[in-house]
């Protein structure tokens, strides 16, 4: 067990370790070997008193130069006169051919490896002010489509996608689904969103917004766990979570509470199923309401924005509602507190507060010159009372229970819902 390995085996072991260190080290060794061959050939020429031009013996520097020329150009040694110098030139030329072939092969392999690395999406992202999407799901193309509309007013907007999916596959899907990218450039990278090293490679430190989606490859609690790990990985790089606004898609409300408590409320959690269920339930009760939701929630047409209210500090919310001509104020977000939609008119705005407005674009949000006009009191209106309703739900899935739960909060007493299903697909 303690016997020393043979010298040949030890040399072979060290040579293998050297080759495994990458092409840069191998090229360095080849360069050193080339210089050694040139130096030995020059020394032989000087000691033997040989001449390259057939007239006078060459000096050491001249011999090294001539030997190096024959190493790089195999046709150079054809001009020698005399067999001794021809043998030296032939040996140097053969060694040079071998070294050049090996060097060209190493360079070609290094270039191929770099191209393959870039194709696989392993390159670093050098961007700033971009939106970073962590994970991949069928919702990602739709999210990017909305971001391209939102970024239309920006000259060079960038969206970076970091997911475990293949880079080429993601680019193919986005090329088919997001045809009009306007001013937005999309960059895809393959990696694990839960690894800080991959996050740094995707430019997480310079992103202005981060969206963590539930991955398509996982379901239920496992998908939520992937999102939580991605958020915690971002928190490991930015403990205060102050560099970017973070939105996380989670299904379970318990997980949402955990994320909000761990991050001190710096991460906004969204349940896409819950939002769609609420919108579906409301649209069932009010025909045409779905068009209103679509116009407000997408970036085509008018949408909801937050805008600073420092110019209106000290004034009331009623004054703020009259201070804009090109947008409508619908709410107020205090600097310390939660968003208040349609707060009392006498609420006073303070420095650092923000207003929630509906506008065509963020560039259209401008405070008009103050005129001091006050709004007349709104006449009282009788509250509409809905009678009992009968609704029919066609088909069934896990999403149906969420819609029924939302409908149960708003349907008047005595209402009924009939569920129509195919017994071959769903057990009543």
């Amino acid at each position: 067990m303690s016997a020393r390995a043979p010298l040949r085996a030890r040399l072979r072991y060290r040579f293998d370790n050297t080759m495994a260190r990458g092409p840069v080290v191998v090229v360095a060794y080849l360069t050193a070997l080339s210089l050694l061959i040139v130096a030995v050939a020059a020394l032989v020429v000087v000691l033997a008193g040989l001449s390259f031009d057939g007239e006078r013996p060459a000096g050491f520097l001249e011999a090294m130069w001539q030997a190096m020329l024959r190493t790089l150009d195999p046709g150079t040694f054809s001009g020698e006169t005399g067999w001794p110098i021809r043998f030296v030139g032939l040996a140097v030329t053969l060694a040079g051919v071998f070294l050049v072939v090996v060097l060209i092969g190493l360079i070609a392999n290094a270039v191929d490896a770099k191209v393959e690395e870039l194709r696989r999406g392993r390159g670093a992202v050098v961007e700033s002010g971009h939106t970073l999407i962590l994970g991949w799901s069928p919702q990602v193309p739709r999210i990017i489509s909305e971001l391209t509309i939102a970024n239309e007013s920006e000259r060079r907007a960038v969206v970076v996608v970091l997911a475990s999916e293949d880079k080429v596959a993601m680019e193919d899907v986005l090329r088919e689904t997001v045809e009009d990218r306007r001013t937005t450039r999309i960059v895809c990278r393959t990696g694990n969103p839960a690894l800080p090293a991959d996050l740094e490679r995707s430019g997480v430190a310079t992103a202005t917004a981060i969206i963590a989606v539930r991955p398509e490859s996982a379901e239920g609690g496992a998908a939520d766990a992937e999102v939580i790990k991605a958020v915690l990985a971002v928190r490991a790089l930015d403990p205060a979570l102050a560099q970017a606004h973070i939105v996380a898609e989670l299904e379970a409300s318990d997980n949402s509470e955990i994320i909000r408590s761990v991050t001190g409320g710096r991460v906004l959690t969204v349940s896409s199923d819950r939002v769609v269920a609420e919108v579906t339930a409301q649209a069932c009760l009010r025909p045409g309401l779905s068009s209103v939701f679509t116009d407000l929630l997408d970036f085509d047409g008018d949408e909801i924005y937050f805008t600073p209210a420092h110019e209106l500090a000290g004034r009331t919310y009623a004054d703020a509602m009259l201070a804009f001509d090109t947008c409508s104020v619908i709410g107020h977000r205090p600097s310390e507190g939660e968003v208040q939609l349609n707060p009392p008119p006498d609420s006073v705005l303070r420095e650092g507060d923000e207003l929630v407005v509906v506008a065509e674009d963020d560039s259209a949000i401008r405070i008009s010159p103050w005129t001091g006009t006050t709004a007349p009191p709104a006449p009282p209106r009788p509250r509409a009372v809905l009678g009992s309703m009968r609704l029919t739900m066609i088909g069934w899935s896990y999403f149906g229970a969420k819609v029924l739960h939302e409908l149960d909060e708003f349907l008047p007493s005595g209402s009924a819902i009939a569920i129509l299903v195919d017994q071959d697909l769903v057990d009543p």
Side-chain angles (χ1 to χ4, degrees):
M1 294 295 293
S2 61
R4 187 175 179 84
L7 177 62
R8 182 179 178 182
R10 284 184 279 125
L11 293 177
R12 180 65 180 270
Y13 173 72
R14 293 187 179 184
F15 177 77
D16 292 342
N17 289 339
T18 301
M19 296 293 290
R21 293 172 62 182
V24 176
V25 177
V26 179
V27 169
Y29 275 99
L30 288 177
T31 303
L33 181 59
S34 301
L35 293 176
L36 178 62
I37 293 174
V38 170
V40 171
L43 185 61
V44 171
V45 170
V46 172
L47 294 178
L50 302 178
S51 173
F52 287 96
D53 54 7
E55 297 180 359
R56 61 182 184 277
F60 184 76
L61 294 179
E62 179 65 19
M64 284 195 64
W65 174 255
Q66 294 296 333
M68 186 178 66
L69 291 180
R70 283 151 181 79
T71 302
L72 299 177
D73 185 4
T76 307
F77 86 100
S78 61
E80 283 92 352
T81 58
W83 286 106
I85 194 65
R86 287 176 179 176
F87 281 121
V88 174
L90 178 61
V92 173
T93 300
L94 291 178
V97 170
F98 172 76
L99 294 176
V100 169
V101 169
V102 174
L103 182 61
I104 292 176
L106 286 174
I107 295 176
N109 290 334
V111 172
D112 291 341
K114 187 62 178 179
V115 172
E116 180 64 20
E117 180 183 356
L118 295 176
R119 192 194 69 82
R120 292 170 52 205
R122 306 297 299 180
V125 174
V126 185
E127 301 287 351
S128 61
H130 58 281
T131 300
L132 177 59
I133 299 178
L134 303 179
W136 180 263
S137 72
Q139 286 77 24
V140 171
R142 179 61 177 171
I143 294 174
I144 295 179
S145 298
E146 294 298 328
L147 290 175
T148 57
I149 301 175
N151 296 333
E152 195 170 7
S153 59
E154 301 181 16
R155 293 182 56 187
R156 297 178 180 177
V158 179
V159 175
V160 179
V161 181
L162 175 64
S164 58
E165 306 293 324
D166 182 69
K167 171 181 178 291
V168 177
M170 292 189 291
E171 290 177 342
D172 290 341
V173 173
L174 295 176
R175 191 178 297 109
E176 296 175 358
T177 54
V178 188
E179 297 179 356
D180 186 7
R181 302 187 179 186
R182 296 174 172 84
T183 61
T184 300
R185 185 160 45 89
I186 303 175
V187 179
C188 295
R189 288 292 182 267
T190 299
N192 188 350
L195 293 180
D198 288 347
L199 289 176
E200 289 182 332
R201 188 165 47 83
S202 62
V204 66
T206 55
T208 57
I210 300 175
I211 304 173
V213 301
R214 302 174 72 245
E216 184 182 15
S217 57
E219 297 181 357
D224 280 4
E226 294 296 326
V227 175
I228 293 174
K229 288 190 291 185
V231 173
L232 294 180
V234 175
R235 185 170 177 262
L237 299 175
D238 180 18
L241 297 177
Q243 296 179 354
H245 178 61
I246 304 177
V247 179
E249 179 191 7
L250 295 170
E251 180 180 12
S253 58
D254 294 341
N255 293 332
S256 299
E257 292 294 335
I258 292 174
I259 284 293
R260 285 196 292 267
S261 62
V262 170
T263 61
R266 295 287 301 174
V267 175
L268 174 64
T269 59
V270 176
S271 174
S272 56
D273 290 344
R274 179 181 177 184
V275 172
V276 174
E278 292 176 349
V279 172
T280 303
Q282 292 289 339
C284 290
L285 302 179
R286 294 289 185 273
L289 191 59
S290 59
S291 300
V292 177
F293 285 136
T294 301
D295 188 68
L296 292 179
L297 295 180
D298 67 6
F299 285 98
D300 192 8
D302 292 348
E303 49 267 356
I304 301 174
Y305 294 95
F306 288 88
T307 183
H310 56 269
E311 298 182 26
L312 299 173
R315 298 187 180 275
T316 63
Y317 178 75
D319 295 336
M321 297 178 66
L322 301 174
F324 298 88
D325 289 340
T326 57
C327 57
S328 300
V329 180
I330 63 173
H332 169 222
R333 179 166 72 175
S335 57
E336 297 180 359
E338 297 182 352
V339 175
Q340 302 174 0
L341 295 181
N342 195 25
D346 56 354
S347 301
V348 179
L349 305 179
R350 303 185 183 278
E351 190 67 32
D353 291 359
E354 291 183 319
L355 293 174
V356 186
V357 300
V358 177
E360 183 179 1
D361 189 73
D362 53 357
S363 60
I365 304 175
R366 294 185 299 271
I367 297 180
S368 306
W370 184 255
T371 60
T373 306
T374 57
R381 292 186 301 171
R383 183 176 181 181
V385 179
L386 297 177
S388 60
M389 303 177 64
R390 293 187 59 85
L391 302 178
T392 302
M393 179 179 292
I394 302 176
W396 184 257
S397 69
Y398 78 97
F399 185 71
K402 298 179 181 293
V403 176
L404 290 179
H405 177 75
E406 297 298 331
L407 287 172
D408 183 57
E409 296 185 12
F410 300 100
L411 286 179
S413 177
S415 299
I417 299 178
I419 303 176
L420 176 63
V421 299
D422 187 345
Q423 297 190 32
D424 294 334
L425 302 177
V426 180
D427 183 4

